[in-house]
Amino acid sequence: MILDFLLSLMADGAVAGAQSRHIPKMLRIVLAVLIVLFMLLVGGFMLLCAVAIDGEIEMRLVCGGLAILCLGYLVFFIRGVWRTMR
């Protein structure tokens, strides 16, 4: 439970830091790259699971939906970071 809290705190801090104008630009870029890589890995893994799973169609739809949600969040995150970089 404590580990879950610390991980969520770090992820929220990285997302907020990447979109904040008070953080130096180089650090914002590093945080944004870390979040983008993490979301691409999670979304790609879920998409791979949706394709490779030998279960029923419901499980494939759940994995595919989670992959779409991860990659969709990534689009809005990049858009938010792009707005603060200008």
Side-chain angles (χ1 to χ4, degrees):
M1 185 165 158
I2 293 174
L3 184 62
D4 180 43
F5 174 72
L6 291 175
L7 287 174
S8 69
L9 189 64
M10 288 187 329
D12 288 340
V15 169
Q19 295 177 346
S20 174
R21 291 184 187 257
H22 301 291
I23 306 291
K25 191 173 187 175
M26 194 62 189
L27 185 58
R28 283 188 284 169
I29 291 171
V30 169
L31 290 173
V33 166
L34 287 175
I35 295 295
V36 166
L37 285 176
F38 178 74
M39 292 306 285
L40 280 175
L41 286 173
V42 170
F45 179 71
M46 293 308 291
L47 193 61
L48 180 68
C49 286
V51 171
I53 199 165
D54 286 334
E56 299 174 5
I57 190 71
E58 293 88 9
M59 198 58 151
R60 287 182 181 208
L61 289 175
V62 168
C63 289
L66 287 174
I68 289 171
L69 285 175
C70 285
L71 299 176
Y73 174 76
L74 186 62
V75 169
F76 287 109
F77 173 75
I78 291 173
R79 190 174 125 215
V81 170
W82 183 261
R83 283 184 177 175
T84 58
M85 291 290 181
R86 288 202 261 160

